[in-house]
Amino acid sequence: DTGVSQDPRHKITKRGQNVTFRCDPISEHNRLYWYRQTLGQGPEFLTYFQNEAQLEKSRLLSDRFSAERPKGSFSTLEIQRTEQGDSAMYLCASSLEQTPGEKLFFGSGTQLSVL
Amino acid sequence: AQKITQTQPGMFVQEKEAVTLDCTYDTSDPSYGLFWYKQPSSGEMIFLIYQGSYDQQNATEGRYSLNFQKARKSANLVISASQLGDSAMYFCAMRELNAGNNRKLIWGLGTSLAVNP
């Protein structure tokens, strides 16, 4: 069990540039989540996949955000035309349980800074 | 509207003592789940404990226990015998269970716990 890994750990970009983050979940986990966390706040839900299907997407997510999980394994989160307000920690989590007490396993996150 | 409130921005506790972290919630869904996660300075959220709204007993996981008071809509985390490694941010979160395919967790602002030697 290697845990959830996210790449890169840190990303600094200029406003207007596109960025892409990758998440590798725990291998047998079929559910994958993206959350965003800004300083002093709890995480905010962005989107969720079951296998390769994107089943839920937050209304917070503008059209500049897109997420994929093409083969039901790793996932990518792309932000187009980044804005300073996109600066945050982007957290990925995965799970296997299909119970109400579903336990999420989180990665260490990708810290995005938009200058 | 669903909401999680954590009113303690920061807490201190002496090593080996117990500490209670407060969490209140609001939901109109009679079926929901409550979670506590720990976030050390490394950034990785770590699951601690879960309580379902229909669970008859308070949840316990090792040194963690959840003081669930449904009428008061509170789900306080109790950490017994604090250790230096318990120093971290602690988040309370909730999921409404009757909302179809909803898997979204709603999170509080967190409480920063410092354990003093």
Side-chain angles (χ1 to χ4, degrees):
Chain A
D1 185 351
T2 57
V4 178
S5 64
Q6 292 187 245
D7 184 68
R9 287 296 310 274
H10 303 274
K11 178 71 177 178
I12 300 174
T13 191
K14 292 183 178 178
R15 190 175 51 185
Q17 298 294 305
N18 299 343
V19 294
T20 300
F21 310 141
R22 177 179 170 124
C23 171
D24 287 89
I26 294 171
S27 58
E28 66 270 23
H29 285 185
N30 60 349
R31 295 182 175 198
L32 187 146
Y33 297 79
W34 286 99
Y35 282 84
R36 178 173 66 186
Q37 186 179 21
T38 53
L39 199 62
Q41 303 288 320
E44 290 179 294
F45 171 81
L46 294 179
T47 191
Y48 143 65
F49 291 86
Q50 181 156 316
N51 299 312
E52 65 276 9
Q54 188 174 18
L55 295 186
E56 195 175 350
K57 187 174 174 180
S58 169
R59 276 171 265 176
L60 295 173
L61 233 57
S62 74
D63 292 342
R64 297 184 297 106
F65 287 72
S66 62
E68 294 183 342
R69 195 182 182 199
K71 296 182 180 178
S73 56
F74 73 92
S75 175
T76 57
L77 177 69
E78 181 183 16
I79 308 174
Q80 296 182 329
R81 304 181 304 281
T82 52
E83 301 172 355
Q84 287 184 329
D86 297 331
S87 295
M89 176 77 83
Y90 290 83
L91 298 170
C92 175
S94 69
S95 76
L96 179 62
E97 300 171 42
Q98 297 186 30
T99 62
E102 178 186 11
K103 181 191 303 185
L104 298 185
F105 293 82
F106 282 83
S108 295
T110 294
Q111 181 67 53
L112 172 66
S113 298
V114 181
L115 305 179
Chain B
Q2 47 184 320
K3 186 178 179 181
I4 294 286
T5 302
Q6 294 180 254
T7 57
Q8 306 156 312
M11 290 283 286
F12 293 91
V13 65
Q14 284 298 121
E15 193 177 7
K16 300 181 184 176
E17 292 185 352
V19 62
T20 298
L21 306 183
D22 294 342
C23 172
T24 58
Y25 60 90
D26 191 19
T27 178
S28 56
D29 192 334
S31 180
Y32 51 89
L34 296 157
F35 301 78
W36 278 91
Y37 281 82
K38 170 185 178 181
Q39 188 176 39
S41 56
S42 60
E44 182 178 335
M45 287 281 189
I46 302 167
F47 169 84
L48 296 178
I49 198 166
Y50 166 77
Q51 179 83 45
S53 58
Y54 291 117
D55 291 345
Q56 295 297 313
Q57 295 189 332
N58 287 346
T60 60
E61 292 277 356
R63 294 188 298 111
Y64 305 108
S65 60
L66 204 150
N67 183 3
F68 181 46
Q69 298 190 40
K70 196 170 181 177
R72 295 186 178 183
K73 292 192 172 180
S74 74
N76 298 339
L77 177 70
V78 181
I79 305 174
S80 62
S82 297
Q83 302 172 357
L84 295 178
D86 293 336
S87 295
M89 284 291 292
Y90 288 80
F91 289 93
C92 181
M94 176 178 67
R95 175 183 297 126
E96 294 178 336
L97 302 178
N98 277 338
N101 205 25
N102 175 45
R103 308 306 301 180
K104 175 176 62 178
L105 282 173
I106 301 298
W107 299 74
L109 295 181
T111 295
S112 177
L113 177 65
V115 180
N116 297 324

